[in-house]
Amino acid sequence: MRLRRLWRPTPLKRHYDVIIIGGGVHGLATAYYLSRDFGITDVAVLESQYLGFGGSGRNTAIVRANQRTPENVRLYDEGLKLWRVLTDELDFNLMFFNCGSLLLGHSEASVGAFRMAASTHNFMGVHSELLDPRQCAEVIPGLDISDRPAFPIHAGLYHPPGGIVRHDAVVWGLAKGAAAHGVHIHQGCEVRGIDTDRGRVTGVRTSLGDIGCNRLGIMAGGYSSAIAAMLGIELPIHPLTIQAMVTHPLKPFLHHVFSSTAYHVYANQTLKGEIATGAHMDPQVNYTTDATAYYLKHQAEALVDLMPALRGVRFMRIWAGLADMTPDMAPIMEGHLGYDGLFLDAGWGYFGFKSGPVAGKYMAEYMATGERPEILEAFQLKRFLENRYSGETAAVMKYGHWD
Amino acid sequence: MVADAGAKTGGGLADRGSPDPSVGRPDCRRPPSHGRLPEGRLPPGPTCRVDLSQPLEFSFLGRPVTGFAGDTVASALYASGVRIFGRSLKYHRPRGLYSMEGESSNTLMAIDKVPNECAETTELKAGMSVRAQNVRGDPQTDRFAFIDRFDRMMPAGFYYRLFHRPYRLWPLFQNGLRRMAGTGVLDPRRGLEEGIRGEGGIRVEGGIEVEGARMGSDVRAERYLNAEVAIVGGGAAGMSAALAAAERGLRVCLFERRPWLGGHLVWRVRDFEGEPLHRRAEKLAVRLRAAENVKVFTSSPVTGVWGENLVTGFTSGAEGDLFRECHWECRAKTVVVAAGCMERPLVFNHNDRPGVMQVGAVWRLARTYAVLPGGVAIFSVGDDLSLEAAADLADLGVKIRAVADAREAVRQDAALVTALEERGIPVLAGWAASRVMGRKQVKGCELGALKGEASRRFGCDLVVANAGMQPRIGALATVGARLAYCGHTHTYQPVELPGGVFAAGSMTGLRDPRAIEASGRLAGERAVESCGGSAPGPDESLPEPAPGCDIRHGPDIGRGAKAFVDFDEDGTYKNVVESAAQGFDVPELAKRFGGFGLGPGQYRVAGQNLAMIMADLRGDPVETATPTTVRPPLVPPSLATLAGPGHDVHKRTPLHGELAARGAIFRRAGPWLRPRYFSEDTSCRKEIRNVRRNVGILDSSPLGKFRIFGPDALKALQRVYISDMRKAPRGHCKYSAMCNDMGQLVDDGVVIREGENEYYFTTSSGRAGSTVEWFRYHTRYDRWDYNLVNLTDVLGSLNIAGPNARRVLERVTDDEVSNEVLPYLGCRRITVADGVEARCLRLGFVGELSFELHVPSSYCQFVWDLVVEAGADFGIRPFGLEAQYCLRAEKGHVIIGAESEARVTLTDIGMGWLWDCGDTAAKKVGAPALRACEKQPGRMRLVGFRVDEGSGSPRDGAVVVDGAKIVGYVCTTRRSEALGWQYGMAMVREGVAVRGGRTHIRQEETPGRGESCSATVVPTPFYDPGGRRLRA
Ligand SMILES: Cc1cc2nc3c(=O)[nH]c(=O)nc-3n(C[C@H](O)[C@H](O)[C@H](O)COP(=O)(O)OP(=O)(O)OC[C@H]3O[C@@H](n4cnc5c(N)ncnc54)[C@H](O)[C@@H]3O)c2cc1C
């Protein structure tokens, strides 16, 4: 097997037509589609650390389309269908493990919420099923459906099209694909300022010098609001640390993703055999990405309650990343944001891996044509000014202090 | 939780008489019971910790094996001749003992069906059943061993390039890959049968005979400590630090992962200042045990040092402990990290063969466990300690053919070299191992010069190898120390430590025992200083850190052989090269791409080697190499231990026992445990009917209850409530709501003016816990003077509802409760029986005549009994949350979360009438949003509907559709006995919300099995729209 660099080192030019800030799935996917579908190849992706340093290299890689509202289901469903397409296009195995996901409900109210989700999904042609506890245990043997757990299982929302993807492979594969179409990828290049002139974006100041551009995409994950703030743009985004951990590897015994909102836990068994499990976000706004002892313990409490066999399993590693949370748990995808040529794709919280490629596809269209694609209508920034939340979460979210 | 009884010893070591194994040694020099030395054992020496007179029977692969008290599982297996402990992940190569510290997956085994237990560190117990992992068939003849020959097809990252074309075959490959991956085997159904989970720290005995006594004591405790100085590591430095700090009166907790104190001195017999080194450690340990203020925790690995100096770990229970493992957290003012060193693995060809071991492993097998590690050995090492080991092992009878030392001759301790030469062992400076011969076991070893071509081959059954020492930097790294490569010790050393964190001992590069102790004392004294005390100046000058070894790998690396950088995922030197060639040329990327340091060994095995090799490959100076990030936990804790005994933190109302006795079926509701049903009939027909036609009683104690008073109390109420609270008349319940800044409903309840600047109010039960914070937050800039008291837990509440409610109430109070004196929404204080003062609120949530009695929690049961007795003639019966849910829904009363959500404001859900827009000076929370949205088109609305008879029966969550579009969903719907039809409330797009409009409802719980029905939008309330019944 001949081994070649996945993406070539390229010289840093002084000007690009398009600059993308952020070497995560969103930035790379946008660059990939810009160069592939729109012939815009004078593109640079600037990444302050290394590709996948942000959420894209830290997530638990769960992909699914069982969102709450039709606008979101539509986008995520298209995203879900892209994995196999991209695997082929990029000639890079993204290792989509189509294992299906099971969301557990722990109250009577969750049954109604799940019925709404299932009805919405199936109406839109996305497969979901409402399960009773016994059926949950048939799908995932080992779940404790007795009333021993602190939050007994009441229902499940089973979603066979979901699964997990190898997150690093997506980053690398997209980089490979973008580079093959001529995109320049610059790691270790931190954007420190944005230049504008008469209402237009003209370039960025970076740790490697000033670079001019005609169009700029802010796709810097948890750091996006800080970058927008360089232009005085305030975004309704709360960056919060969110943690994940893996256990020692085991032979396959968990063949689905499961998650539970009451326990704030989601888990799956990776292709390598580790149980990868994620936790809730830190209660207060912060950029630290510090892991905490609290979540290690909390997570163990939740997991052994839900699946007692996990008692003997050991945690091997815990890490954290940033979740850029909007008040309605839906992203902001916006163009001409205060300045001509300024685009933003952020606010993806802890659910933006699955949607990376599809968001990139439509952001590329937006950036190339200047026209907002219809599917992105629901994700405009102005919805917050108009107090029209997307309904992606029913609950009224609260991050950090009251607000 | 284990009470912290203040005993001087903690964790795994209750004081249990002398000899305390954590100090000196148990008396292990006793001869074996039958007089002869068991096979594979050495005569027990002065540092031995195995009692050869106490055999322990256990099984390996079902075959009986004998070990001895004091053995680890690994030492016992090794002594009995086992060399292959398991098979490697990718290539199924045989793997054996390596470090005796559990640094890699090589010796992870299934013990008593628990996978991935570390044989090297798990204490042997009689009856254990031990199995090898990742083995098909027998570990000796593993059926998958052939994979080892196909490595050329598996370069770094090969799986990204293979298996996906054509895509339809991928699931097949994927399942194959999955089955090959992973090591331990877990039965997911294990533990589902009652019994494994302990309750309140004590296991429920459920007849689990199968698992024997071990499962019987599966108690996990937890313990929360605090200390002025927490010390990580109980070696000479850690102990010296503890003594220094304790002598100045500080409270010290010392954590040591091994079952005994003394670090790497405990197996060393070399003379130093007139006594053997192990004696020196024992003396320190004795002093430490005698010191005031010191708690020593042995068998207690630290899992992490986190922000704000939180030290966490766990303790394995020893005999006499009431737990099997105990999770602890120690909040410390200062932390001294004296975690010592581990050996840097030497990367050379076939460095994973069973029989290749690190120096410490071999030395401890012999000195600690009285196991003969091998007959003929070759050493390839990089530090003086290893030379000392070689001499010592030679004295114990191991024939050492040669010692290769990667360092130049000038860097070696001349005395040790002489000692080796005296024993006839050639020392080859500037040489290292290049290759191991033998497949399942070492048969020989080739040594080569690092510069030049010279090489020599030796026959041997043991290869003792390392690349010198590397500090155990885990605790420093996780607490946020900045580490940098040190060109003198060739290790990563802290260059910047967070506040209150100090490093000491051999991890800082020191090798001289006196210097190590002095550095510990100094760290202890620095800790004293940062706790505000004063400490003497620095000690006398002592030897500086010794120069280290910077070897990257053995000669001839990768030539026709695998040289492992990472054992867990079979990451070879060649794979590192391949990663770099594909652009993954920094450790953090290579780690993910090639799989170095992602397995059980984490950064510990691969970390420094990967960084150094990568720097070489890039052509950068080694100083620029940044190893991969250290991630906790530093030692893997089991989920059971982390989870602890399992606390159920739900609150119970004062009537919990009573309700349980009446057959209540409880559900968690917010922080509370509440009755949802009182029979198996989840439609609650009887409960509902009884309220509608007769009288029912509900325990509504979780209702939020508050008192607010003070000169600015009214202002505060005006701020958070959306109505004009100035209009709350005395003796009357004013119903209102709270919104958030987005105008969304967050709470509702009643407010009662009880006196001058004094109010009593209720909140929904889910919201009670946040109410004080909410008031304070929204008035934080106003400097208002008011007091807010949460009475939720102090007062219980009973709701008597139904047409007969008044008649029941009249029987328990002499006070007047007539419609005139206590009309709908009235409130007055009454006396129940002869002396219980109660607030009596006349409310109508369920739509019937109803009284809510708020009484002190301690009287709840008494009042309940009275009411129930008084209502017996009427057939009073308790009703639960589900019945209440239905009753109020028939009235169109909204429950937050059920008929409200993030997309809708108070106005959208039809409660806009509560908003008083007059008093703008009050700056009501949510008012600007309500104003902005008031006339906005296209918002969602809450509407009532009536399901068209015979068209179907949708349930909560069904969606409202308009052609191919989803335009809303059903929040709540029920068939009502009182109404005779199915009613419901739905959240719908504006156009749908027209009275009399027909809507289409669809529900599809399973694809293809959808049901549809039609409904008509009707006004709410559905039941008793005029409200006559609640005013009766
Ligand atoms: C623990 C965890 C678990 C998660 N689990 C899931 C999951 O299961 N499913 C799912 O769908 N999503 C999940 N997510 C969310 C998902 O990872 C993110 O939403 C997604 O990766 C965002 O991708 P991105 O490309 O927008 O941003 P990122 O991947 O964060 O990339 C942004 C990049 O921008 C770079 N950058 C920042 N500032 C600058 C600057 N000034 N100059 C240059 N570069 C800069 C950063 O270094 C970073 O590499 C999880 C996230 C975390 C943290």
Side-chain angles (χ1 to χ4, degrees), chain A residues 22 24-26 47-48 54-56 59-60 62 191 221 350-354:
Chain A
V25 268
H26 285 260
E47 165 55 52
S48 64
S56 301
N59 65 77
T60 36
I62 297 170
V191 173
Y350 53 85
F351 31 80
F353 171 70
K354 57 177 91 51

Side-chain angles (χ1 to χ4, degrees), chain B residues 10-87:
Chain B
L13 291 156
D15 273 324
R16 56 186 100 87
S18 194
D20 182 340
S22 75
V23 178
R25 300 162 299 96
D27 189 7
C28 285
R29 261 166 295 174
R30 271 180 290 173
S33 44
H34 46 76
R36 262 185 305 117
L37 258 189
E39 190 93 21
R41 297 282 175 170
L42 292 166
T47 61
C48 174
R49 289 180 187 265
V50 179
D51 185 350
L52 295 181
S53 68
Q54 272 196 61
L56 300 176
E57 306 296 331
F58 68 110
S59 76
F60 177 57
L61 300 171
R63 298 191 284 268
V65 187
T66 307
F68 295 92
D71 261 327
T72 67
V73 172
S75 67
L77 286 175
Y78 195 90
S80 72
V82 174
R83 291 295 176 269
I84 300 180
F85 280 64
R87 290 274 172 166

Side-chain angles (χ1 to χ4, degrees), chain B residues 191-515:
Chain B
L192 273 185
E193 316 301 312
E194 178 57 60
I196 284 202
R197 180 168 184 143
E199 201 164 278
I202 310 293
R203 175 181 171 266
V204 184
E205 291 291 337
I208 301 260
E209 288 302 299
V210 219
E211 299 296 335
R214 262 165 60 83
M215 288 308 299
S217 59
D218 189 19
V219 174
R220 314 289 170 140
E222 52 190 44
R223 190 168 195 184
Y224 295 88
L225 305 152
N226 63 69
E228 280 154 316
V229 189
I231 295 179
V232 183
M239 289 193 285
S240 304
L243 283 167
E247 276 158 17
R248 303 225 152 57
L250 295 196
R251 285 176 299 113
V252 178
C253 286
L254 180 143
F255 305 103
E256 164 56 47
R257 62 196 238 132
R258 297 208 180 96
W260 47 77
L261 295 167
H264 72 301
L265 296 186
V266 298
W267 57 83
R268 289 171 71 185
V269 295
R270 188 184 185 188
D271 248 26
F272 189 81
E273 295 183 333
E275 63 183 349
L277 281 167
H278 69 89
R279 279 298 304 153
R280 197 175 170 98
E282 282 157 17
K283 281 185 179 166
L284 263 178
V286 169
R287 274 179 61 204
L288 188 68
R289 287 291 185 193
E292 296 284 332
N293 308 335
V294 181
K295 257 188 231 248
V296 173
F297 295 79
T298 48
S299 299
S300 301
V302 167
T303 49
V305 184
W306 314 75
E308 310 291 326
N309 296 349
L310 178 69
V311 184
T312 59
F314 59 91
T315 297
S316 305
E319 234 175 276
D321 281 322
L322 295 173
F323 53 81
R324 174 154 157 213
E325 260 180 6
C326 174
H327 164 85
W328 44 261
E329 302 184 5
C330 177
R331 188 62 78 178
K333 260 196 182 139
T334 62
V335 181
V336 174
V337 180
C341 286
M342 59 180 282
E343 290 161 69
R344 181 153 67 87
L346 180 63
V347 180
F348 63 104
N349 298 327
H350 298 310
N351 58 341
D352 67 323
R353 293 299 190 207
V356 179
M357 277 187 255
Q358 292 193 319
V359 177
V362 175
W363 209 357
R364 290 173 60 206
L365 274 180
R367 278 289 173 198
T368 308
Y369 301 105
V371 175
L372 182 68
V376 184
I378 289 294
F379 273 59
S380 173
V381 295
D383 76 312
D384 291 336
L385 199 58
S386 307
L387 302 185
E388 179 186 327
D392 190 31
L393 285 159
D395 293 345
L396 288 173
V398 180
K399 171 137 188 51
I400 298 172
R401 304 279 308 271
V403 173
D405 188 330
R407 299 170 300 170
E408 319 259 293
V410 287
R411 300 198 155 210
Q412 299 163 343
D413 180 336
L416 288 168
V417 175
T418 315
L420 287 171
E421 281 162 359
E422 278 168 13
R423 289 165 173 81
I425 302 169
V427 179
L428 305 166
W431 281 54
S434 60
R435 171 184 300 267
V436 167
M437 275 74 79
R439 275 179 184 280
K440 292 180 184 167
Q441 201 174 321
V442 167
K443 295 212 173 94
C445 177
E446 181 180 281
L447 298 177
L450 288 165
K451 290 180 188 143
E453 300 283 293
S455 72
R456 284 173 66 185
R457 284 192 172 212
F458 301 88
C460 60
D461 58 6
L462 188 61
V463 175
V464 188
N466 70 31
M469 293 291 168
Q470 63 183 23
R472 291 187 176 276
I473 49 164
L476 288 177
T478 58
V479 76
R482 203 160 65 78
L483 300 157
Y485 189 83
C486 159
H488 176 67
T489 58
H490 297 294
T491 59
Y492 287 88
Q493 288 294 331
V495 287
E496 208 180 292
L497 290 166
V501 177
F502 309 98
S506 69
M507 63 184 301
T508 65
L510 298 171
R511 291 291 173 269
D512 179 85
R514 278 168 315 163

Side-chain angles (χ1 to χ4, degrees), chain A residues 6-11 13 16 18 31-32 34-36 39-45 174-186:
Chain A
L6 289 191
W7 58 92
R8 298 174 307 278
T10 44
K13 296 202 298 175
Y16 289 93
V18 177
Y32 171 68
L34 271 174
S35 59
R36 195 194 79 128
I40 300 177
T41 57
D42 187 19
V43 179
V45 175
L174 286 169
K176 174 180 182 251
H181 287 101
V183 171
H184 285 193
I185 292 166
H186 299 294

